[in-house]
Amino acid sequence: MMLNELSVYGQLGWPLLSTLIWLPIIAAFALRYISKPDNVYVFTMVVLVIELWLSGAIILYFNPDMVDIQLSEQLNLWLGLNYALGIDGVSILFVPWAVLLTLLLMVYVCLNRQIHIEPEYYSYVLFCLGCKLGALLSMDLLLFWIFITVEIYPISKLIDKFGKGKQRAEASRSYFSAMSV
């Protein structure tokens, strides 16, 4: 039995899932141009609150009585790559959870003043969130693979630059080589 897809444009009129994925990725690059550390934190928190609001909108518009892929977005790119996003009964659980955990991580970083966090840290965390959401919402295997593969880089940078201990560079290289295979 083939599942039907309910287009986001038929349900909402704007690309909610694309906004959820690309907002933190674009914000991660924008963070590189903010100079004050306090402004970096505030900007990151604003982006994460918007992300939480968008994931709440997904829950609001998701119809649990339907077995179809909902809020789907389709765009045929080049060389067989399809930008196909959608949400189903499983990913509806993980998307808000990923956003909420990232928001709680940032609150913890703010409350724990003993840790000095560089602005680059926030950029890597937002980039990881965007890639993670892209993997959770992708309906195309190649697109899923691209998001998972791209996520390896910021995670290895987080391990290398912000990890504890003398062997963090080796741990970063080991993670990168193990996940890149």
Side-chain angles (χ1 to χ4, degrees), residues 49-181:
V49 167
I50 292 170
E51 286 285 299
L52 193 61
W53 180 78
L54 290 172
S55 63
I58 288 176
I59 294 171
L60 181 68
Y61 287 106
F62 185 78
N63 185 353
D65 296 331
M66 301 179 75
V67 295
D68 301 328
I69 302 296
Q70 298 181 36
L71 302 171
S72 72
E73 300 174 27
Q74 295 277 341
L75 182 62
N76 294 327
L77 300 174
W78 47 275
L79 299 175
L81 178 63
N82 295 319
Y83 183 76
L85 302 176
I87 195 151
D88 57 7
V90 175
S91 58
I92 191 72
L93 302 173
F94 292 109
V95 169
W97 187 245
V99 174
L100 182 63
L101 284 177
T102 307
L103 181 68
L104 291 175
L105 170 70
M106 290 299 118
V107 169
Y108 171 76
V109 166
C110 176
L111 294 177
N112 193 352
R113 294 289 181 181
Q114 301 164 344
I115 304 172
H116 172 70
I117 299 295
E118 298 172 23
E120 196 174 19
Y121 175 83
Y122 299 103
S123 178
Y124 287 136
V125 169
L126 284 178
F127 195 79
C128 284
L129 176 64
C131 290
K132 186 178 310 315
L133 293 175
L136 286 170
L137 296 172
S138 65
M139 293 290 145
D140 183 70
L141 184 60
L142 184 57
L143 184 65
F144 171 82
W145 179 80
I146 288 171
F147 277 120
I148 289 295
T149 304
V150 169
E151 187 182 19
I152 294 170
Y153 176 75
I155 291 175
S156 65
K157 284 297 192 183
L158 282 169
I159 294 169
D160 185 29
K161 292 189 175 204
F162 303 104
K164 298 279 185 185
K166 298 175 186 175
Q167 297 177 336
R168 65 183 190 216
E170 179 61 33
S172 174
R173 281 191 299 275
S174 296
Y175 173 80
F176 191 82
S177 63
M179 296 305 288
S180 298
V181 177

Side-chain angles (χ1 to χ4, degrees), residues 4-26:
N4 295 325
E5 293 182 2
L6 300 174
S7 171
V8 69
Y9 301 106
Q11 288 178 284
L12 292 178
W14 63 287
L16 180 62
L17 301 182
S18 290
T19 306
L20 196 64
I21 293 168
W22 293 105
L23 176 65
I25 292 173
I26 293 168

